[in-house]
């Protein structure tokens, strides 16, 4: 269950969970409880009192780093300079725990991510393409 975002009120921290061609696919990442991960994230959102929103996307793009979760800042986090953080290889309970702990502490712009989670940050697809172009010059 997801909670509705009030159009003119504060926006909660949001997780966009990729569940496209590669992310969430047991053939690509066997041994990962993809449904269990999504259920845990949705349960946390339901228990958050509107401070967390979870949604899924068909494909976010960086398939080589599946599973991908984008952690988007709340209104307060954005006001403090927080930007969306792209997490790659979100495949195990430890990563899910780190994501949930970070958003419970306020998420981007409000709290620092756990160090182990920060190691899994990946550039957004457009930024990765820009970096690749700059490297070819």
């Amino acid at each position: 269950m997801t909670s509705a975002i009030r159009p003119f009120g504060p926006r909660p921290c949001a997780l966009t969970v990729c569940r496209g061609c590669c992310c969430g696919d047991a053939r690509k990442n066997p041994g990962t409880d993809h449904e269990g991960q999504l259920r845990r994230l949705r349960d946390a959102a339901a228990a958050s009192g509107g401070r967390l929103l979870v949604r899924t996307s068909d494909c976010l793009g960086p398939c080589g780093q599946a599973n991908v979760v984008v952690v988007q800042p709340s209104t307060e986090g954005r006001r403090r300079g927080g930007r969306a953080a792209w997490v790659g290889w979100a495949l195990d309970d430890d990563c899910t725990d780190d994501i949930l702990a970070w958003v419970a502490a306020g998420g981007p712009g409000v709290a620092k991510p756990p160090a182990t989670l920060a190691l899994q940050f990946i550039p957004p697809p457009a930024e990765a393409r820009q970096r690749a172009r700059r490297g070819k010059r």
Side-chain angles (χ1 to χ4, degrees):
M1 177 181 195
T2 58
S3 59
I5 296 176
R6 292 175 285 172
F8 299 105
R11 184 178 60 183
C13 195
L15 302 177
T16 303
V17 183
C18 187
R19 284 297 183 256
C21 61
C22 296
C23 295
D25 186 344
R27 292 171 296 175
K28 182 167 184 163
N29 290 301
T32 296
D33 183 2
H34 302 283
E35 289 302 315
Q37 178 190 50
L38 189 55
R39 187 173 41 256
R40 281 189 63 203
L41 297 172
R42 286 180 170 158
D43 288 349
S48 74
R51 292 184 319 272
L52 174 62
L53 172 71
V54 174
R55 56 186 159 221
T56 59
S57 173
D58 283 337
C59 185
L60 292 171
C63 298
Q65 291 99 0
N67 290 346
V68 175
V69 177
V70 180
V71 184
Q72 296 168 312
S74 64
T75 299
E76 177 64 16
R78 177 113 14 223
R79 187 184 68 72
R80 294 183 186 191
R83 297 293 175 255
W86 287 60
V87 179
W89 306 284
L91 297 168
D92 60 24
D93 287 336
D94 290 339
C95 182
T96 303
D97 291 343
D98 284 349
I99 291 169
L100 291 173
W102 187 30
V103 298
V110 175
K112 286 190 172 201
T116 52
L117 186 64
L119 292 171
Q120 291 179 246
F121 286 1
I122 60 174
E127 187 178 310
R129 284 191 299 274
Q130 289 172 349
R131 285 183 186 172
R133 276 189 226 124
R134 278 185 248 142
K136 290 180 182 177
R137 290 181 185 170

